[in-house]
Amino acid sequence: MSSATMTAEPRITDILRGNRDNRPAANRAAAGHYRQLIEGALENLTTRVSTLGPLVIRAHHLDPVPFVHIGPAFPLAQLRGALISELLRLLSTGQSVRRPFEDAREAWAFSHPHSPLHRTLEECDADDLARVATDVTAHAVTLIKALGPVNPHWQPRTDVSVVQHLRGGDIVVRDRLDLVLGSSREAVASEALFDVTTSPLSSRSDAVLRYHALMETLRTGVVPLRVVALSTATGDRVQYEVDDALLARAVSELQTAIITEWNRP
Amino acid sequence: MSTLTIRRLSAIALSELAGDAPQESFSFTDDHRASLVARFRATPTTEHRKLDAWTVESSGAASSAFRWSPTNARRSLGTPALRLVTSGRARHVTEAVTLCVEDHVVRAASGRARPGSLSYWLTNLSDVQRAVVIADTVTWATGLLDVMEPVTYDWTMAETDAYYDVATARVSLRGRRDLCITTELTQRVILRFRGGSPTRSAGMGLRADLVMDGLSRPDGQTAQRFIGVWPDAGLILSIDGNVENARAGARSLVRTAMMRGHLAQHIAA
């Protein structure tokens, strides 16, 4: 598993595309193997403690610390993340963003009319709103500076949904990919996945990147080329070439997350 | 047999499903149509019922009033956009989708759009909102193209959905179809692209679409095979256009009409 944490210079789109001459052959055989590995570990699960429908697993379940919503700032941080993801969608279509907060807010409200975060926004007083607007603008500036132009020939897809049913439908594993470039139908590995986070990069963001790579492998049946994350909090980026070691680790992390959640009362 | 085939999504799987589709398929005769009308007319109703695969899959549950959104606009925009791409009239999906959106806006600006239409809705959106619609549609259309381009047979985007109106029974049917594959041996294999993952009643929905597609044709001939593609889940479900599937599909449509009728009566009471 090769990786590199970089300080600033190269644009995200350049990292995602990389050198086209150095791409490995598309791996179309691994997906079945990894699916078997995941299913194999789930065979011996005992009867589930909670019986309220299928167990749904998302990227946040990979966190070894239970996911708890603590503190008044949490919904605002969530909102900031949602708005920055929405800005990425606008940028990927070539839309020029002149008023980052207002544009992101308008786009998000339009595409997520029923989100519970609307309440968070409504509850903001003038000071809160000004703080969120400044915060989102600062993150947006980092994103715009780091991203680079998205060539439409690279087939950009945003907010891509992935859903996999395991153990005969008892377990539903879901994911959303912020940006996918390239195609899974090429003879060489060509799909690059990009994740934008408004938190600093950590071991958790690495696990999320591995999760994205595994989920896309299971969905398309083809191993993606690389995964890249950008923290708009710090400007740091991390990239991983997707290989067997990365996917094997992703499988192990997913198995652990499933078993933990399965046994949670 | 009314067997439902489930495969992992790949170009090879799609090519195989298209290539080995049965050469014969069921055709609705005038007698079949008359019998279906009689069954629909026998169902209670206080209102005109619009049925599609979704109402069949949701057991006739009443849907909320239709409103355009980025999610439901992407298919209406993505289909003509893919026609532009596959015919070489657009260089890439983003350009094709943008052209289609502009076309709608021009149509509305020149007074050729009725209130409530997609053109009318798009015209009243801001630039940012239109960019969201474009991003959603590009994602949908690119995903479809990614699945279809390596398929070894000729395929074309469907011109329209399948509509069939059973006027005397106050029932309108709408069968969705996204594209048609043609091979040397078979005439028509129809594909439908769906979001999310298939539900337990997805097979019923496919059979209903098969029936509505056949009924909408003057010769009544169903497709040789009807394939549902769920790119989010990486799954394909397919059914053959045989008498068993046609019968099961017709039965589920009548049952759904009956449920809708009961529901309307219940609400009216």
Side-chain angles (χ1 to χ4, degrees):
Chain A
M1 183 164 64
S2 57
S3 77
T5 306
M6 290 152 290
T7 44
E9 290 314 304
R11 292 180 302 188
I12 295 295
T13 45
D14 294 334
I15 299 170
L16 288 167
R17 295 291 290 171
N19 183 350
R20 296 196 67 178
D21 299 331
N22 295 341
R23 293 180 183 174
N27 183 348
R28 297 176 197 282
H33 167 66
Y34 291 119
R35 186 183 299 280
Q36 274 183 348
L37 276 181
I38 300 166
E39 291 277 11
L42 306 179
E43 272 175 8
N44 299 324
L45 287 177
T46 52
T47 308
R48 194 174 157 212
V49 179
S50 169
T51 51
L52 294 171
L55 171 67
V56 179
I57 295 289
R58 292 190 166 88
H60 68 73
H61 289 113
L62 300 174
D63 209 331
V65 181
F67 191 70
V68 185
H69 300 188
I70 300 173
F74 180 77
L76 289 180
Q78 258 194 323
L79 181 65
R80 182 185 65 202
L83 294 181
I84 290 298
S85 296
E86 212 60 47
L87 267 187
L88 176 63
R89 301 186 72 195
L90 298 181
L91 294 167
S92 76
T93 62
Q95 171 84 13
S96 62
V97 174
R98 282 183 286 274
R99 307 166 307 151
F101 176 66
E102 288 79 2
D103 288 356
R105 184 180 172 179
E106 186 181 355
W108 170 77
F110 181 61
S111 51
H112 299 91
H114 306 298
S115 168
L117 288 174
H118 282 287
R119 176 125 190 223
T120 306
L121 207 52
E122 283 164 16
E123 285 171 354
C124 285
D125 59 23
D127 261 356
D128 285 338
L129 210 56
R131 195 164 57 239
V132 174
T134 311
D135 201 14
V136 168
T137 304
H139 283 269
V141 167
T142 309
L143 173 65
I144 293 166
K145 201 172 152 194
L147 184 65
V150 180
N151 186 329
H153 285 288
W154 298 342
Q155 302 167 54
R157 282 95 78 204
T158 51
D159 198 25
V160 176
S161 164
V162 186
V163 53
Q164 293 291 313
H165 291 248
L166 301 172
R167 208 175 185 263
D170 284 347
I171 299 162
V172 179
V173 189
R174 292 186 174 277
D175 195 16
R176 290 204 93 88
L177 307 168
D178 286 335
L179 175 65
V180 181
L181 295 183
S183 166
S184 61
R185 61 176 185 265
E186 305 282 334
V188 291
S190 301
E191 257 198 335
L193 319 179
F194 174 55
D195 188 60
V196 61
T197 173
T198 55
S199 307
L201 295 180
S202 63
S203 58
R204 189 183 172 277
S205 22
D206 287 355
V208 169
L209 281 185
R210 288 190 287 271
Y211 180 75
H212 289 330
L214 176 63
M215 292 299 287
E216 185 64 354
T217 302
L218 296 179
R219 186 181 79 88
T220 62
V222 184
V223 176
L225 173 65
R226 63 176 61 95
V227 282
V228 178
L230 166 74
S231 162
T232 51
T234 61
D236 288 341
R237 313 110 193 262
V238 63
Q239 75 174 89
Y240 290 105
E241 302 301 299
V242 183
D243 55 18
D244 282 338
L246 182 143
L247 290 172
R249 194 164 165 194
V251 167
S252 161
E253 288 163 343
L254 177 60
Q255 287 169 341
T256 306
I258 291 173
I259 292 166
T260 305
E261 292 303 315
W262 184 271
N263 293 320
R264 195 183 292 280
Chain B
M1 286 202 342
S2 59
T3 314
L4 184 70
T5 307
I6 304 175
R7 304 265 313 253
R8 293 261 160 232
L9 174 58
S10 71
I12 295 171
L14 272 178
S15 298
E16 284 175 359
L17 281 171
D20 68 8
Q23 291 177 41
E24 300 295 319
S25 70
F26 175 78
S27 288
F28 286 98
T29 62
D30 288 347
D31 286 348
H32 291 132
R33 290 179 196 267
S35 166
L36 194 60
V37 168
R39 281 164 200 265
F40 274 126
R41 289 188 70 177
T43 60
T45 187
T46 55
E47 58 172 15
H48 193 96
R49 293 157 292 179
K50 292 178 180 174
L51 305 183
D52 58 14
W54 172 248
T55 53
V56 168
E57 289 177 33
S58 54
S59 305
S63 50
S64 50
F66 179 81
R67 292 181 64 182
W68 285 107
S69 71
T71 307
N72 60 32
R74 65 190 180 195
R75 184 171 173 266
S76 304
L77 290 166
T79 303
L82 284 172
R83 235 177 268 134
L84 291 180
V85 172
T86 52
S87 64
R89 284 177 286 160
R91 289 168 299 165
H92 45 73
V93 175
T94 307
E95 182 182 60
V97 172
T98 308
L99 286 171
C100 288
V101 169
E102 284 170 1
D103 184 48
H104 277 281
V105 172
V106 167
R107 197 180 307 164
S110 59
R112 287 181 292 134
R114 60 177 172 79
S117 67
L118 177 58
S119 304
Y120 198 83
W121 178 72
L122 284 169
T123 304
N124 289 298
L125 298 182
S126 68
D127 287 348
V128 167
Q129 290 172 329
R130 240 177 259 158
V132 172
V133 174
I134 291 173
D136 237 28
T137 308
V138 166
T139 299
W140 182 85
T142 306
L144 192 150
L145 202 59
D146 204 41
V147 168
M148 291 309 299
E149 272 204 341
V151 169
T152 47
Y153 297 104
D154 291 339
W155 55 272
T156 49
M157 298 304 297
E159 289 294 326
T160 63
D161 281 338
Y163 293 93
Y164 188 69
D165 204 78
V166 195
T168 54
R170 302 179 75 190
V171 171
S172 297
L173 307 179
R174 179 185 185 175
R176 287 184 169 76
R177 49 192 180 190
D178 290 315
L179 60 89
C180 181
I181 298 179
T182 42
T183 68
E184 302 89 11
L185 296 174
T186 60
Q187 291 165 315
R188 289 194 321 134
V189 173
I190 307 248
L191 267 75
R192 237 201 104 176
F193 281 75
R194 309 275 305 263
S197 54
T199 60
R200 290 185 198 284
S201 53
M204 270 206 304
L206 278 184
R207 291 186 186 102
D209 272 331
L210 173 87
V211 168
M212 292 185 278
D213 171 67
L215 288 171
S216 72
R217 292 166 59 89
D219 63 3
Q221 186 163 29
T222 60
Q224 273 76 7
R225 187 163 272 174
F226 209 102
I227 301 176
V229 181
W230 280 261
D232 297 356
L235 287 174
I236 309 170
L237 269 61
S238 90
I239 53 161
D240 291 345
N242 55 29
V243 63
E244 288 83 6
N245 281 321
R247 189 178 291 149
R251 211 179 284 141
S252 67
L253 282 165
V254 172
R255 194 167 47 238
T256 305
M258 189 177 292
M259 286 170 164
R260 283 299 279 268
H262 285 312
L263 188 69
Q265 283 181 332
H266 180 71
I267 291 168

